[in-house]
Amino acid sequence: MANAYDVCVIGGLGHIGLPLGISLAQTGMKVAAYDINEKAVQTISAGKIPFMEQGADEVLAKVLNNTFFVSNDKNVIRQAHYVVVVIGTPVDEYLNPQYRIFLDFFDGLMQDIVDGQHIVLRSTVYPGTTENVCAYLKKHNKNVRLSFCPERLAEGKGMEELRTLPQIISAFDETSFEEAEKLFKHLTKDVLRLTPPEAELAKLFTNSWRYIMFATANQFYQLAASHNLDFYKIYDALTFNYPRAKAFPKAGFAAGPCLFKDTMQLSSFSNNNFFLGHSAMLLNEGLPNFVISQLQSKIDLKTKTVGILGMAFKANIDDKRESLSYKLKKILTVEAAQVLCHDVYIKDADFVTTDELLKKCDILIVGTPHKEYSELKIPEHIHLVDIWNFYNKGGKIL
Protein backbone atom coordinates (compact mmCIF):
# COMPACT_ATOMS: atom_id res chain seq x y z
CA MET A 1 0.00 0.00 0.00
CA ALA A 2 1.32 3.44 -0.91
CA ASN A 3 2.31 5.83 1.84
CA ALA A 4 -0.06 8.70 2.59
CA TYR A 5 2.97 11.02 2.89
CA ASP A 6 6.43 11.09 1.38
CA VAL A 7 7.92 12.69 4.49
CA CYS A 8 6.96 13.11 8.14
CA VAL A 9 8.98 15.63 10.12
CA ILE A 10 8.87 14.94 13.85
CA GLY A 11 9.16 18.25 15.68
CA GLY A 12 8.13 19.71 12.35
CA LEU A 13 6.87 23.08 13.53
CA GLY A 14 10.07 24.44 15.08
CA HIS A 15 13.00 26.45 13.77
CA ILE A 16 14.62 23.41 12.11
CA GLY A 17 11.65 21.29 11.09
CA LEU A 18 9.31 23.89 9.63
CA PRO A 19 11.64 25.39 6.98
CA LEU A 20 12.61 21.86 5.90
CA GLY A 21 9.02 20.66 5.76
CA ILE A 22 7.57 23.49 3.72
CA SER A 23 10.63 23.56 1.45
CA LEU A 24 10.17 19.87 0.63
CA ALA A 25 6.43 20.46 0.19
CA GLN A 26 7.25 23.27 -2.23
CA THR A 27 9.00 20.71 -4.47
CA GLY A 28 5.80 18.67 -4.68
CA MET A 29 6.55 16.12 -1.98
CA LYS A 30 3.70 15.33 0.37
CA VAL A 31 4.85 16.32 3.87
CA ALA A 32 3.30 15.83 7.32
CA ALA A 33 4.68 18.02 10.12
CA TYR A 34 4.05 16.28 13.43
CA ASP A 35 4.42 18.32 16.61
CA ILE A 36 3.08 18.19 20.17
CA ASN A 37 3.19 22.00 20.52
CA GLU A 38 -0.54 22.79 20.40
CA LYS A 39 -0.01 26.52 20.06
CA ALA A 40 2.28 26.01 17.08
CA VAL A 41 -0.20 23.57 15.52
CA GLN A 42 -3.00 26.14 15.79
CA THR A 43 -0.87 29.03 14.55
CA ILE A 44 0.56 27.25 11.51
CA SER A 45 -2.77 25.60 10.67
CA ALA A 46 -4.11 29.15 10.42
CA GLY A 47 -1.40 29.98 7.90
CA LYS A 48 0.94 31.92 10.18
CA ILE A 49 4.64 31.33 10.89
CA PRO A 50 5.17 31.59 14.69
CA PHE A 51 8.76 32.88 14.41
CA MET A 52 10.89 34.89 12.03
CA GLU A 53 11.94 32.91 8.94
CA GLN A 54 12.64 34.82 5.75
CA GLY A 55 10.41 33.74 2.85
CA ALA A 56 8.44 31.18 4.85
CA ASP A 57 5.09 32.97 4.92
CA GLU A 58 4.72 33.02 1.15
CA VAL A 59 5.64 29.36 0.76
CA LEU A 60 3.37 28.23 3.62
CA ALA A 61 0.41 30.01 1.98
CA LYS A 62 0.97 27.96 -1.19
CA VAL A 63 1.58 24.51 0.30
CA LEU A 64 -0.63 24.43 3.43
CA ASN A 65 -3.23 21.66 3.12
CA ASN A 66 -2.03 21.06 -0.41
CA THR A 67 1.32 19.28 -0.04
CA PHE A 68 2.05 20.32 3.55
CA PHE A 69 -0.08 19.09 6.43
CA VAL A 70 0.10 19.92 10.13
CA SER A 71 -0.78 17.28 12.72
CA ASN A 72 -0.54 16.42 16.41
CA ASP A 73 -1.66 12.85 15.69
CA LYS A 74 1.21 10.34 15.98
CA ASN A 75 -0.43 8.12 13.36
CA VAL A 76 1.01 10.31 10.61
CA ILE A 77 4.48 8.96 11.48
CA ARG A 78 3.67 5.44 10.31
CA GLN A 79 2.09 6.80 7.12
CA ALA A 80 5.30 8.30 5.68
CA HIS A 81 8.31 6.75 3.96
CA TYR A 82 10.89 9.24 5.26
CA VAL A 83 10.69 10.06 8.97
CA VAL A 84 12.88 13.08 9.73
CA VAL A 85 13.73 13.50 13.43
CA VAL A 86 14.77 17.00 14.49
CA ILE A 87 15.07 16.18 18.19
CA GLY A 88 18.68 16.78 19.29
CA THR A 89 20.78 15.96 22.34
CA PRO A 90 20.67 18.65 25.06
CA VAL A 91 23.25 19.09 27.79
CA ASP A 92 22.46 18.93 31.50
CA GLU A 93 23.37 21.30 34.33
CA TYR A 94 26.81 19.64 34.49
CA LEU A 95 27.38 20.37 30.78
CA ASN A 96 27.19 16.67 29.86
CA PRO A 97 25.04 15.39 26.95
CA GLN A 98 21.67 13.97 28.01
CA TYR A 99 21.92 10.98 25.70
CA ARG A 100 19.27 9.01 27.60
CA ILE A 101 16.64 11.57 26.56
CA PHE A 102 17.31 10.68 22.93
CA LEU A 103 16.85 6.94 23.54
CA ASP A 104 13.75 7.61 25.63
CA PHE A 105 12.36 9.51 22.66
CA PHE A 106 12.89 6.47 20.43
CA ASP A 107 11.30 4.23 23.06
CA GLY A 108 8.15 6.29 22.70
CA LEU A 109 8.43 6.14 18.92
CA MET A 110 8.90 2.39 18.42
CA GLN A 111 5.24 1.51 17.96
CA ASP A 112 4.96 4.17 15.26
CA ILE A 113 7.97 3.00 13.22
CA VAL A 114 7.10 0.45 10.53
CA ASP A 115 9.28 -1.73 8.35
CA GLY A 116 10.50 -0.18 5.13
CA GLN A 117 10.73 3.37 6.46
CA HIS A 118 13.80 5.57 6.30
CA ILE A 119 14.68 7.37 9.56
CA VAL A 120 16.66 10.59 9.04
CA LEU A 121 18.38 12.09 12.09
CA ARG A 122 18.57 15.81 11.39
CA SER A 123 19.61 17.68 14.56
CA THR A 124 22.95 17.76 16.31
CA VAL A 125 23.68 14.53 18.17
CA TYR A 126 26.47 13.32 20.43
CA PRO A 127 29.13 11.33 18.54
CA GLY A 128 28.14 7.69 18.32
CA THR A 129 24.41 8.39 18.56
CA THR A 130 23.61 7.31 14.99
CA GLU A 131 25.34 3.97 15.48
CA ASN A 132 23.58 3.43 18.80
CA VAL A 133 20.19 4.30 17.32
CA CYS A 134 20.88 1.84 14.50
CA ALA A 135 21.58 -0.92 17.04
CA TYR A 136 18.55 0.13 19.10
CA LEU A 137 16.25 -0.16 16.10
CA LYS A 138 17.65 -3.59 15.24
CA LYS A 139 17.21 -4.68 18.86
CA HIS A 140 13.53 -3.84 18.49
CA ASN A 141 13.37 -5.80 15.22
CA LYS A 142 12.74 -2.74 13.09
CA ASN A 143 13.66 -3.31 9.45
CA VAL A 144 14.28 0.31 8.52
CA ARG A 145 16.98 2.42 6.88
CA LEU A 146 18.82 5.08 8.84
CA SER A 147 20.85 8.16 7.94
CA PHE A 148 22.29 11.18 9.71
CA CYS A 149 21.99 14.37 7.68
CA PRO A 150 22.82 17.33 9.96
CA GLU A 151 21.24 20.72 9.40
CA ARG A 152 23.71 23.58 9.11
CA LEU A 153 21.39 26.56 8.74
CA ALA A 154 21.49 30.07 10.14
CA GLU A 155 18.30 30.69 12.08
CA GLY A 156 15.95 32.90 10.09
CA LYS A 157 17.61 32.00 6.77
CA GLY A 158 16.69 28.33 6.55
CA MET A 159 14.47 28.68 3.50
CA GLU A 160 17.32 30.21 1.52
CA GLU A 161 20.16 28.08 2.83
CA LEU A 162 18.36 24.76 2.36
CA ARG A 163 18.67 25.39 -1.38
CA THR A 164 22.08 27.05 -1.49
CA LEU A 165 24.27 25.15 1.00
CA PRO A 166 25.75 21.68 0.40
CA GLN A 167 24.11 18.88 2.35
CA ILE A 168 26.18 16.39 4.35
CA ILE A 169 24.75 12.87 4.23
CA SER A 170 25.90 9.84 6.18
CA ALA A 171 24.64 6.27 6.32
CA PHE A 172 25.90 2.77 7.10
CA ASP A 173 24.95 1.22 3.75
CA GLU A 174 24.69 2.22 0.11
CA THR A 175 20.91 1.92 -0.15
CA SER A 176 20.33 4.24 2.82
CA PHE A 177 22.80 6.76 1.43
CA GLU A 178 21.11 6.74 -1.99
CA GLU A 179 17.68 7.24 -0.46
CA ALA A 180 18.87 10.12 1.74
CA GLU A 181 20.64 11.66 -1.24
CA LYS A 182 17.45 11.41 -3.28
CA LEU A 183 15.50 13.21 -0.55
CA PHE A 184 17.86 16.16 -0.20
CA LYS A 185 18.52 16.53 -3.90
CA HIS A 186 14.99 17.87 -4.08
CA LEU A 187 16.55 20.95 -2.45
CA THR A 188 20.25 21.12 -3.34
CA LYS A 189 22.51 19.67 -6.03
CA ASP A 190 25.59 19.50 -3.79
CA VAL A 191 25.74 16.44 -1.54
CA LEU A 192 28.78 15.46 0.54
CA ARG A 193 29.17 11.93 1.87
CA LEU A 194 30.69 11.09 5.24
CA THR A 195 30.43 8.17 7.63
CA PRO A 196 28.01 8.79 10.54
CA PRO A 197 30.81 9.43 13.09
CA GLU A 198 32.46 11.86 10.66
CA ALA A 199 29.17 13.68 10.02
CA GLU A 200 28.43 13.92 13.75
CA LEU A 201 31.82 15.50 14.35
CA ALA A 202 31.50 17.77 11.30
CA LYS A 203 28.40 19.34 12.83
CA LEU A 204 30.02 19.77 16.26
CA PHE A 205 33.27 21.06 14.75
CA THR A 206 31.35 23.69 12.77
CA ASN A 207 29.53 25.17 15.74
CA SER A 208 32.53 24.90 18.06
CA TRP A 209 34.73 26.63 15.48
CA ARG A 210 32.30 29.55 15.29
CA TYR A 211 32.04 29.71 19.08
CA ILE A 212 35.85 29.79 19.39
CA MET A 213 36.14 32.51 16.73
CA PHE A 214 33.68 34.70 18.64
CA ALA A 215 35.52 33.99 21.89
CA THR A 216 38.81 35.07 20.33
CA ALA A 217 37.32 38.42 19.32
CA ASN A 218 35.77 38.80 22.78
CA GLN A 219 39.12 38.06 24.44
CA PHE A 220 40.84 40.71 22.32
CA TYR A 221 38.01 43.12 23.09
CA GLN A 222 38.46 42.59 26.83
CA LEU A 223 42.23 43.07 26.55
CA ALA A 224 41.74 46.41 24.79
CA ALA A 225 38.93 47.60 27.07
CA SER A 226 40.89 46.67 30.20
CA HIS A 227 43.57 49.15 29.11
CA ASN A 228 41.03 51.80 28.10
CA LEU A 229 41.78 51.29 24.40
CA ASP A 230 39.26 51.21 21.57
CA PHE A 231 39.09 47.66 20.22
CA TYR A 232 37.39 48.79 17.03
CA LYS A 233 40.05 51.32 16.14
CA ILE A 234 42.51 48.42 16.26
CA TYR A 235 40.03 46.09 14.50
CA ASP A 236 39.46 48.48 11.60
CA ALA A 237 43.18 48.94 11.10
CA LEU A 238 44.09 45.25 11.12
CA THR A 239 41.21 44.16 8.85
CA PHE A 240 41.43 46.97 6.27
CA ASN A 241 42.40 45.45 2.90
CA TYR A 242 44.19 42.64 4.71
CA PRO A 243 42.93 39.27 3.38
CA ARG A 244 44.37 37.16 6.20
CA ALA A 245 42.12 39.00 8.68
CA LYS A 246 38.99 38.68 6.55
CA ALA A 247 37.38 36.09 8.86
CA PHE A 248 38.12 38.08 12.04
CA PRO A 249 34.69 38.57 13.71
CA LYS A 250 33.64 41.59 15.73
CA ALA A 251 33.11 41.33 19.47
CA GLY A 252 29.65 40.72 20.90
CA PHE A 253 27.43 38.34 22.83
CA ALA A 254 27.83 34.82 21.37
CA ALA A 255 24.82 32.83 22.47
CA GLY A 256 21.81 30.83 21.33
CA PRO A 257 20.66 27.23 21.59
CA CYS A 258 23.48 25.63 19.55
CA LEU A 259 26.99 27.06 19.84
CA PHE A 260 27.45 26.70 23.60
CA LYS A 261 25.69 23.32 23.73
CA ASP A 262 27.61 21.80 20.84
CA THR A 263 30.94 23.01 22.19
CA MET A 264 30.15 21.34 25.50
CA GLN A 265 29.17 18.10 23.71
CA LEU A 266 32.54 18.11 21.96
CA SER A 267 34.18 18.73 25.31
CA SER A 268 32.45 15.69 26.79
CA PHE A 269 33.47 13.62 23.78
CA SER A 270 37.11 14.60 24.42
CA ASN A 271 36.86 13.45 28.06
CA ASN A 272 36.91 17.11 29.07
CA ASN A 273 40.27 17.72 27.40
CA PHE A 274 38.87 20.23 24.92
CA PHE A 275 40.58 23.15 26.63
CA LEU A 276 40.04 25.52 23.72
CA GLY A 277 36.29 24.91 23.99
CA HIS A 278 36.33 25.42 27.76
CA SER A 279 38.17 28.71 27.33
CA ALA A 280 35.70 29.84 24.68
CA MET A 281 32.79 29.08 27.01
CA LEU A 282 34.35 31.06 29.86
CA LEU A 283 35.07 34.03 27.60
CA ASN A 284 31.70 34.17 25.86
CA GLU A 285 29.60 33.46 28.94
CA GLY A 286 31.71 35.87 30.98
CA LEU A 287 31.34 38.87 28.68
CA PRO A 288 28.24 40.27 30.47
CA ASN A 289 30.11 40.06 33.78
CA PHE A 290 33.11 41.82 32.24
CA VAL A 291 30.98 44.70 30.94
CA ILE A 292 29.38 45.19 34.35
CA SER A 293 32.68 44.97 36.26
CA GLN A 294 34.20 47.60 33.96
CA LEU A 295 31.26 49.93 34.59
CA GLN A 296 31.45 49.32 38.32
CA SER A 297 35.12 50.33 38.37
CA LYS A 298 34.16 53.98 37.78
CA ILE A 299 30.38 54.25 38.02
CA ASP A 300 28.12 53.66 41.00
CA LEU A 301 25.55 51.40 39.33
CA LYS A 302 23.45 51.36 42.50
CA THR A 303 22.35 54.91 41.63
CA LYS A 304 21.85 54.34 37.90
CA THR A 305 19.09 53.13 35.62
CA VAL A 306 20.52 50.82 32.97
CA GLY A 307 18.79 50.08 29.68
CA ILE A 308 19.37 47.00 27.50
CA LEU A 309 18.66 47.48 23.83
CA GLY A 310 17.84 44.13 22.21
CA MET A 311 17.12 40.86 24.02
CA ALA A 312 17.19 38.17 21.30
CA PHE A 313 20.24 35.90 21.18
CA LYS A 314 21.36 37.44 17.88
CA ALA A 315 20.39 40.29 15.60
CA ASN A 316 17.25 40.41 13.48
CA ILE A 317 15.48 37.34 14.88
CA ASP A 318 12.85 36.82 17.58
CA ASP A 319 14.48 33.92 19.43
CA LYS A 320 15.51 34.59 23.03
CA ARG A 321 16.77 31.07 23.85
CA GLU A 322 20.06 31.21 25.79
CA SER A 323 20.38 34.93 25.08
CA LEU A 324 23.17 36.63 27.03
CA SER A 325 21.09 39.80 27.16
CA TYR A 326 18.96 38.00 29.74
CA LYS A 327 22.06 37.05 31.70
CA LEU A 328 23.09 40.70 31.59
CA LYS A 329 19.64 41.69 32.84
CA LYS A 330 19.78 39.17 35.69
CA ILE A 331 23.10 40.51 36.97
CA LEU A 332 22.04 44.14 36.58
CA THR A 333 18.85 43.50 38.53
CA VAL A 334 21.12 43.02 41.55
CA GLU A 335 23.80 45.58 40.74
CA ALA A 336 21.86 48.57 39.31
CA ALA A 337 19.10 50.79 40.67
CA GLN A 338 16.76 49.81 37.83
CA VAL A 339 16.94 47.81 34.60
CA LEU A 340 14.82 48.59 31.53
CA CYS A 341 14.67 46.41 28.40
CA HIS A 342 13.43 46.64 24.84
CA ASP A 343 13.37 44.32 21.85
CA VAL A 344 11.93 44.91 18.40
CA TYR A 345 10.74 41.34 17.91
CA ILE A 346 10.19 39.89 21.39
CA LYS A 347 7.06 40.91 23.27
CA ASP A 348 7.26 40.98 27.04
CA ALA A 349 4.98 42.75 29.49
CA ASP A 350 8.02 44.01 31.40
CA PHE A 351 9.66 45.61 28.37
CA VAL A 352 9.37 49.35 27.74
CA THR A 353 9.24 51.40 24.55
CA THR A 354 12.43 52.85 23.07
CA ASP A 355 11.14 56.33 23.96
CA GLU A 356 10.78 55.36 27.62
CA LEU A 357 14.14 53.57 27.54
CA LEU A 358 15.96 56.63 26.22
CA LYS A 359 14.08 58.96 28.55
CA LYS A 360 14.80 57.07 31.78
CA CYS A 361 18.14 55.31 31.47
CA ASP A 362 21.51 56.71 32.47
CA ILE A 363 23.46 53.91 30.81
CA LEU A 364 22.44 52.09 27.63
CA ILE A 365 23.97 48.72 26.70
CA VAL A 366 23.45 47.38 23.20
CA GLY A 367 22.51 43.77 23.85
CA THR A 368 21.39 42.79 20.36
CA PRO A 369 22.04 45.08 17.36
CA HIS A 370 18.75 44.70 15.48
CA LYS A 371 18.74 46.60 12.18
CA GLU A 372 15.73 48.64 13.32
CA TYR A 373 17.90 50.30 15.96
CA SER A 374 20.27 51.84 13.42
CA GLU A 375 18.28 55.07 13.13
CA LEU A 376 17.78 55.45 16.87
CA LYS A 377 19.15 58.74 18.18
CA ILE A 378 20.96 58.21 21.47
CA PRO A 379 20.80 61.35 23.67
CA GLU A 380 24.18 62.82 24.64
CA HIS A 381 23.54 62.44 28.36
CA ILE A 382 23.26 58.64 28.09
CA HIS A 383 26.44 56.62 28.61
CA LEU A 384 26.46 54.21 25.65
CA VAL A 385 28.07 50.77 25.96
CA ASP A 386 28.27 49.30 22.46
CA ILE A 387 30.51 46.22 22.37
CA TRP A 388 29.30 45.55 18.79
CA ASN A 389 30.27 49.07 17.61
CA PHE A 390 26.80 49.16 16.07
CA TYR A 391 26.67 52.96 16.23
CA ASN A 392 30.26 53.43 15.01
CA LYS A 393 31.29 55.34 18.12
CA GLY A 394 33.99 52.94 19.20
CA GLY A 395 33.93 50.03 21.58
CA LYS A 396 35.11 51.58 24.83
CA ILE A 397 33.02 50.77 27.88
CA LEU A 398 34.19 53.82 29.80
Side-chain angles (χ1 to χ4, degrees):
M1 186 174 68
N3 292 300
Y5 306 101
D6 298 303
V7 183
C8 175
V9 184
I10 300 179
L13 303 184
H15 291 275
I16 299 172
L18 185 58
L20 176 65
I22 61 178
S23 293
L24 289 171
Q26 190 180 22
T27 71
M29 299 190 82
K30 203 168 182 180
V31 179
Y34 168 71
D35 209 296
I36 60 174
N37 185 331
E38 289 292 342
K39 185 176 180 180
V41 169
Q42 294 173 10
T43 300
I44 296 169
S45 295
K48 298 178 181 179
I49 303 292
F51 47 80
M52 295 179 65
E53 177 62 48
Q54 297 175 20
D57 294 274
E58 297 86 345
V59 176
L60 179 63
K62 294 176 182 177
V63 301
L64 184 62
N65 298 323
N66 181 12
T67 53
F68 181 76
F69 303 88
V70 177
S71 179
N72 58 3
D73 183 353
K74 286 183 72 176
N75 284 323
V76 297
I77 298 172
R78 60 176 50 244
Q79 297 176 48
H81 176 67
Y82 292 100
V83 178
V84 182
V85 178
V86 298
I87 308 299
T89 310
V91 293
D92 62 20
E93 66 271 26
Y94 305 108
L95 306 182
N96 294 316
Q98 295 179 283
Y99 177 67
R100 184 65 239 179
I101 287 179
F102 203 73
L103 290 184
D104 288 345
F105 164 78
F106 270 94
D107 279 338
L109 195 64
M110 283 300 170
Q111 64 181 4
D112 303 297
I113 296 175
V114 297
D115 288 350
Q117 287 183 314
H118 187 132
I119 311 299
V120 180
L121 304 183
R122 183 70 175 153
S123 293
T124 309
V125 295
Y126 185 74
T129 295
T130 308
E131 185 174 4
N132 289 335
V133 169
C134 184
Y136 211 60
L137 290 167
K138 288 179 179 178
K139 177 183 176 182
H140 286 78
N141 299 315
K142 297 296 180 179
N143 183 21
V144 296
R145 298 185 179 97
L146 177 70
S147 59
F148 173 59
C149 307
E151 62 84 19
R152 300 191 293 161
L153 311 175
E155 189 170 314
K157 297 182 179 179
M159 299 295 295
E160 172 192 349
E161 293 190 344
L162 277 166
R163 294 181 178 274
T164 57
L165 296 182
Q167 174 63 55
I168 292 175
I169 291 176
S170 68
F172 294 107
D173 60 84
E174 196 65 29
T175 302
S176 297
F177 170 77
E178 290 175 354
E179 279 199 358
E181 180 183 43
K182 182 179 178 181
L183 173 65
F184 285 99
K185 278 202 168 181
H186 282 84
L187 301 175
T188 181
K189 63 182 178 64
D190 295 319
V191 169
L192 307 171
R193 184 171 187 175
L194 295 175
T195 65
E198 290 169 341
E200 290 164 344
L201 282 179
K203 171 64 174 177
L204 294 177
F205 283 173
T206 300
N207 281 349
S208 296
W209 166 243
R210 294 185 64 227
Y211 197 60
I212 291 166
M213 287 177 64
F214 295 141
T216 302
N218 286 335
Q219 173 78 92
F220 291 159
Y221 174 84
Q222 292 182 40
L223 285 170
S226 295
H227 290 81
N228 200 30
L229 298 173
D230 187 348
F231 169 79
Y232 285 102
K233 188 175 180 181
I234 305 167
Y235 177 91
D236 291 342
L238 71 90
T239 58
F240 181 73
N241 287 344
Y242 191 65
R244 286 183 287 281
K246 187 177 181 180
F248 196 146
K250 292 185 175 182
F253 293 145
C258 295
L259 301 188
F260 170 84
K261 171 181 69 69
D262 291 355
T263 302
M264 292 302 99
Q265 291 206 69
L266 198 55
S267 173
S268 179
F269 182 66
S270 71
N271 293 320
N272 291 318
N273 288 318
F274 185 29
F275 304 124
L276 199 58
H278 291 162
S279 297
M281 180 268 290
L282 294 172
L283 283 162
N284 288 329
E285 288 291 311
L287 188 55
N289 303 74
F290 174 80
V291 170
I292 293 171
S293 67
Q294 287 289 297
L295 287 171
Q296 287 176 320
S297 67
K298 291 188 178 179
I299 297 174
D300 182 7
L301 290 182
K302 295 293 185 184
T303 65
K304 304 297 182 183
T305 295
V306 183
I308 304 176
L309 194 64
M311 300 299 292
F313 83 78
K314 70 174 184 177
N316 310 320
I317 65 169
D318 58 351
D319 193 344
K320 64 182 182 180
R321 291 177 295 170
E322 314 304 326
S323 170
L324 289 179
S325 290
Y326 282 88
K327 183 173 185 177
L328 183 68
K329 177 187 176 184
K330 184 177 181 180
I331 301 170
L332 285 170
T333 300
V334 176
E335 302 296 339
Q338 186 179 14
V339 185
L340 303 175
C341 304
H342 179 272
D343 193 278
V344 176
Y345 306 115
I346 299 172
K347 306 304 177 186
D348 189 305
D350 293 332
F351 289 0
V352 299
T353 64
T354 52
D355 286 343
E356 187 175 355
L357 191 74
L358 298 181
K359 182 179 179 181
K360 292 184 176 180
C361 71
D362 305 299
I363 300 168
L364 181 65
I365 302 174
V366 180
T368 314
H370 293 310
K371 61 182 184 295
E372 286 84 355
Y373 292 145
S374 61
E375 301 300 320
L376 204 62
K377 303 299 181 184
I378 311 298
E380 290 295 327
H381 74 273
I382 291 179
H383 183 90
L384 179 66
V385 179
D386 183 6
I387 57 178
W388 310 86
N389 198 29
F390 184 62
Y391 289 105
N392 296 310
K393 295 182 178 180
K396 286 187 177 183
I397 294 176
L398 296 169

